Amino acid sequence: MAEPLLSVRDLVVEFPTRRGTLRALDRVSFDIGEGEVLGMVGESGAGKSITGSAIIGLIDRPGRIAGGEIRLRGERIDTLPEDKLRRIRGKRIGMVFQDPLTSLNPLYTVAQQLIETIRTHLDVSEREARERAVALLDQVGIPAARRRIDDYPHHFSGGMRQRVVIALALAAEPELVIADEPTTALDVSVQAQIIDVLRDICADRGAAVMLITHDMGVIAETADRVAVLYAGRMAEIGPVRDVIKAAEHPYTSGLMGSIPTLAQTADRLTQIPGSMPRLDAIPQGCAFNPRCPRVMPHCRTDQPPLTPRAQGRQVACWLYAPAGAAHG
Amino acid sequence: MIAFILRRLAQSVVVMLVVALISFALFRYVGDPVASLLGQEATAADREALRARLGLDQPIWVQFYEYIGRVLRGDFGISYRLQQPVAQLIMQRLPATLELALVSGIAAFVFGVALGVYTALNRRGWISNAIMTISLIGVSLPTFLIGVLLIWVFAVELQWLPSFGRGEVVELGWWRTGFLTESGRAALILPAITLGLYQLTLIMRLVRAEMLEVLRTDYIRFARARGLSNRAIHFGHALKNTLVPVITITGLQMGSIIAFAIITETVFQWPGVGAFFINAVRFVDVPVMAAYLMLIALIFVVINLIVDLLYYVVDPRLRVDRGAARH
């Protein structure tokens, strides 16, 4: 198998607090292949955004990576010193944040912010950088880019600003783009457009995408594979079609059952009883066990390992663990 | 832009008119100017004659109108005590106050911003903690005490710097400057520190708080995620946003520096308008008090106007939105 673009192994992120250390991520592992779109879903607080922040080394203090490793094309990046990491941020891994209204510096024009980013990473002249910037804005679908580039962020609508943010994330031709809920803050009518822009421009450049969202619809349409996080642990990961059609982890099935479809006419959507535990109250064994409809005795004592299944799927559930692993 | 300036100018004129009214009321109701001018032996006829000559028998609004007219021509009357035109007396003393205020204002801003940025960026360092602790002293000690302490240490004990006066001055036209002589510059140091210290600590604490706030924003996070250098993030992106609110406060503080130079000037016997004003109060020299009031109001109004324009330059959001949103 070819080396993956990004490889995350047993990533642990901890936040020391007064009442003990909280594990925001507990041994999370996944790969992203060249040009692949990996969807990352989960409830709020499941650790999706922290995974994204950990990859580019921007976890808010006092949080820290407490274990595991992150490799970009085989090279470890989680242990790099700040100045080397900076050359990866923006240059090799681009990032798109949730809220386009606050992601742009209000006091600088779009051109200034784009040119600054381009010239930080690429050795080009001011004029060349400007040409690239105009081309980028054009590609993300900003009309009359050449005229509008000297406008300030507040001159743009939310959807247009998110296009600018995408242009900024792609300014230095990164190999991977981490999009952290890029459409959550936007009007429903422009969400689809933004996702299309993001997908197309990345496909164009062969950039892989890690798409963090809680919108399964977006994942279904956009992603190649999907990773499901629950309480800081990887529950299930696999090709989108398979996971949606035949979820293996009971949490994933519950998640899929709670999505309204046009085909079914149900009075009530199925819901998962209870709520995701807080980080300081994760139960022993499988984190999902108190809510799981198919819970078994040893789910309450032992944490299930992420187990390989058919078609490159992996699932962390005792229902699928090889016999004997439970008490191994 | 022009509409904005015109609107602000109109507001300024209104403010100045109100201040003129107050200053006019001072003349009219603080003591009787006729009695002040003639003394006790004057006859009733003398009083009536002077009253008519000064226009005090006119209706009140005519008097106010004429007062405004005189003020606009730079005529603030004659000092009761010194028997010289007030405008001339103030102009003689204004350069001393302006030079002092300018030096302490610039020093307060430069050091305030620098220390504020430093303490915000090195939040947990012991130097930052030391600076923050010392700044508390700067905020809480009264100005006159700081002045007296400085005099004691640097003028009396160490004898490095003069304890009072302006040193030698050089006349540049009507402007007497202390910048050009060594003794003038030396004499400026202690009063400038005294006057600027409070503003410095205030600006520093404000810059620190704003900077910490800005460093938490999404656009700083996004700037980091784009791999910009710390230098570009801290001084390009964060500092500029920090300065938007800081400019307003600093501007207003510049006004206070000039207005409240009174105490510093008294402590250091600095021959400026503040000390002059205190003497005027002591002798109930109403024309001087009224003129000083107008002068300080004018300085505040002008500084406010400049601050508004600076805001406009720094923050692009105001340039279009204000005009569009208000009409």
Side-chain angles (χ1 to χ4, degrees):
Chain A
M1 184 181 150
E3 188 178 60
L5 173 64
L6 181 86
S7 163
V8 176
R9 283 289 165 277
D10 296 322
L11 182 65
V12 177
V13 172
E14 291 180 342
F15 283 83
T17 67
R18 283 195 194 128
R19 292 189 296 161
T21 301
L22 298 183
R23 271 207 168 180
L25 287 184
D26 190 359
R27 281 167 283 163
V28 166
S29 301
F30 62 93
D31 291 336
I32 299 179
E34 203 77 48
E36 185 185 46
V37 180
L38 175 75
M40 186 149 292
V41 292
E43 295 168 51
S44 305
K48 305 172 303 231
S49 296
I50 289 183
T51 309
S53 303
I55 293 169
I56 56 167
L58 278 182
I59 293 178
D60 290 324
R61 272 190 244 174
R64 61 190 184 92
I65 295 178
E69 52 180 59
I70 302 168
R71 289 177 186 272
L72 185 65
R73 287 194 199 284
E75 181 204 1
R76 265 192 93 159
I77 58 171
D78 55 317
T79 49
L80 285 181
E82 178 67 21
D83 59 322
K84 291 225 172 96
L85 200 53
R86 218 183 61 226
R87 264 168 252 154
I88 289 178
R89 286 184 205 139
K91 173 84 185 95
R92 298 184 61 192
I93 303 178
M95 187 103 190
V96 176
F97 287 115
Q98 182 171 342
D99 191 350
L101 300 184
T102 56
S103 291
L104 298 169
N105 190 330
L107 301 187
Y108 290 102
T109 64
V110 165
Q112 286 167 333
Q113 301 189 46
L114 271 165
I115 291 169
E116 183 184 24
T117 310
I118 292 170
R119 297 197 67 194
T120 298
H121 297 295
L122 307 174
D123 185 24
V124 294
S125 69
E126 177 89 16
R127 177 185 295 237
E128 261 178 276
R130 196 181 164 84
E131 282 311 308
R132 273 170 176 270
V134 171
L136 269 165
L137 289 184
D138 204 41
Q139 283 165 42
V140 294
I142 289 185
R146 193 169 293 280
R147 192 165 50 79
R148 300 221 55 194
I149 190 167
D150 288 310
D151 284 349
Y152 286 91
H154 70 270
H155 292 126
F156 293 87
S157 67
M160 284 297 155
R161 279 193 229 185
Q162 196 62 312
R163 289 170 196 256
V164 172
V165 169
I166 292 172
L168 275 164
L170 284 151
E173 312 267 331
E175 300 144 75
L176 170 67
V177 174
I178 300 174
D180 189 352
E181 311 224 11
T183 58
T184 308
L186 295 176
D187 213 59
V188 181
S189 56
V190 297
Q191 286 184 354
Q193 294 173 14
I194 295 300
I195 290 292
D196 285 347
V197 165
L198 183 67
R199 186 182 51 196
D200 293 348
I201 194 169
C202 290
D204 247 25
R205 287 146 194 261
V209 181
M210 177 174 150
L211 182 61
I212 298 168
T213 176
H214 48 239
D215 187 340
M216 282 304 297
V218 167
I219 296 279
E221 279 174 35
T222 317
D224 301 314
R225 287 191 309 139
V226 58
V228 181
L229 280 178
Y230 184 81
R233 298 170 187 182
M234 188 65 77
E236 181 163 9
I237 183 166
V240 156
R241 295 217 150 266
D242 302 336
V243 173
I244 288 182
K245 272 197 192 142
E248 294 193 319
H249 198 289
Y251 174 63
T252 318
S253 346
L255 212 55
M256 300 304 158
S258 63
I259 299 165
T261 57
L262 289 174
Q264 276 176 303
T265 47
D267 289 336
R268 255 186 105 81
L269 294 168
T270 46
Q271 59 178 43
I272 310 174
S275 57
M276 195 175 75
R278 288 167 25 160
L279 289 179
D280 57 356
I282 294 176
Q284 212 194 342
C286 174
F288 188 59
N289 80 64
R291 304 170 72 189
C292 184
R294 302 174 66 183
V295 64
M296 298 178 296
H298 62 279
C299 295
R300 301 190 205 276
T301 51
D302 298 292
Q303 194 178 330
L306 197 59
T307 311
R309 307 275 297 155
Q311 295 134 350
R313 298 175 69 171
Q314 288 173 291
V315 61
C317 178
W318 286 122
L319 289 170
Y320 310 97
H327 303 285
Chain B
M1 180 76 186
I2 289 168
F4 170 76
I5 296 176
L6 286 179
R7 199 161 52 225
R8 299 299 301 181
L9 273 177
Q11 286 167 358
S12 306
V13 168
V14 172
V15 170
M16 286 312 292
L17 275 176
V18 172
V19 174
L21 186 64
I22 295 170
S23 127
F24 170 70
L26 262 185
F27 262 118
R28 189 82 187 118
Y29 300 110
V30 176
D32 180 359
V34 176
S36 317
L37 286 172
L38 288 180
Q40 294 188 341
E41 270 91 61
T43 63
D46 286 342
R47 282 162 203 267
E48 280 315 306
L50 183 65
R51 207 172 281 281
R53 192 154 61 82
L54 293 178
L56 294 177
D57 54 348
Q58 303 274 336
I60 193 90
W61 62 270
V62 173
Q63 288 184 41
F64 182 56
Y65 178 77
E66 285 181 353
Y67 175 73
I68 298 282
R70 284 199 300 277
V71 164
L72 285 180
R73 286 193 302 273
D75 176 7
F76 289 89
I78 308 285
S79 159
Y80 293 164
R81 189 167 65 93
L82 300 171
Q83 295 298 323
Q84 286 178 41
V86 172
Q88 193 189 324
L89 289 169
I90 286 191
M91 283 316 236
Q92 282 168 3
R93 288 161 176 80
L94 196 57
T97 297
L98 288 182
E99 285 183 1
L100 176 60
L102 191 73
V103 169
S104 48
I106 290 173
F109 184 75
V110 171
F111 289 108
V113 169
L115 290 176
V117 168
Y118 178 83
T119 50
L121 293 181
N122 305 286
R123 200 144 53 105
R124 294 175 214 286
W126 67 271
I127 298 180
S128 297
N129 287 330
I131 293 174
M132 291 305 288
T133 311
I134 295 169
S135 78
L136 266 183
I137 301 171
V139 172
S140 46
L141 275 190
T143 308
F144 69 87
L145 190 60
I146 293 172
V148 171
L149 284 176
L150 287 176
I151 288 176
W152 178 51
V153 174
F154 293 100
V156 179
E157 292 296 326
L158 297 171
Q159 306 214 331
W160 287 353
L161 298 165
S163 63
F164 70 92
R166 267 189 102 184
E168 271 178 75
V169 290
V170 175
E171 307 240 358
L172 295 175
W174 62 272
W175 186 285
R176 271 189 223 151
T177 178
F179 286 153
L180 298 178
T181 65
E182 200 167 317
S183 69
R185 286 191 295 266
L188 196 55
I189 296 175
L190 291 184
I193 294 174
T194 307
L195 185 57
L197 195 63
Y198 175 77
Q199 326 291 340
L200 188 157
T201 48
L202 193 80
I203 291 171
M204 182 194 111
R205 292 182 151 259
L206 183 73
V207 167
R208 177 179 179 272
E210 282 295 331
M211 186 93 174
L212 287 176
E213 191 71 38
V214 169
L215 285 175
R216 275 195 290 270
T217 57
D218 283 352
Y219 55 81
I220 294 300
R221 210 176 142 71
F222 188 45
R224 283 195 204 289
R226 296 200 310 262
L228 302 186
S229 67
N230 274 337
R231 211 183 125 96
I233 290 170
H234 294 156
F235 298 103
H237 288 261
L239 186 58
K240 196 171 177 189
N241 279 281
T242 300
L243 287 183
V244 174
V246 170
I247 285 173
T248 326
I249 304 290
T250 307
L252 293 178
Q253 290 301 320
M254 290 295 165
S256 320
I257 282 184
I258 296 172
F260 302 127
I262 294 173
I263 297 168
T264 307
E265 289 187 3
T266 309
V267 171
F268 288 92
Q269 295 167 44
W270 189 262
V273 285
F276 183 54
F277 171 72
I278 284 292
N279 277 325
V281 171
R282 198 175 296 153
F283 294 99
V284 202
D285 199 342
V286 174
V288 173
M289 285 156 65
Y292 181 77
L293 184 68
M294 294 283 287
L295 175 71
I296 294 301
L298 182 68
I299 288 172
F300 263 91
V301 163
V302 168
I303 286 177
N304 259 326
L305 203 61
I306 294 172
V307 166
D308 272 335
L309 293 180
L310 270 182
Y311 235 78
Y312 223 69
V313 173
V314 174
D315 195 338
R317 283 167 295 187
L318 296 175
R319 283 176 217 160
V320 193
D321 297 0
R322 225 185 225 192
R326 287 220 179 146
H327 293 288

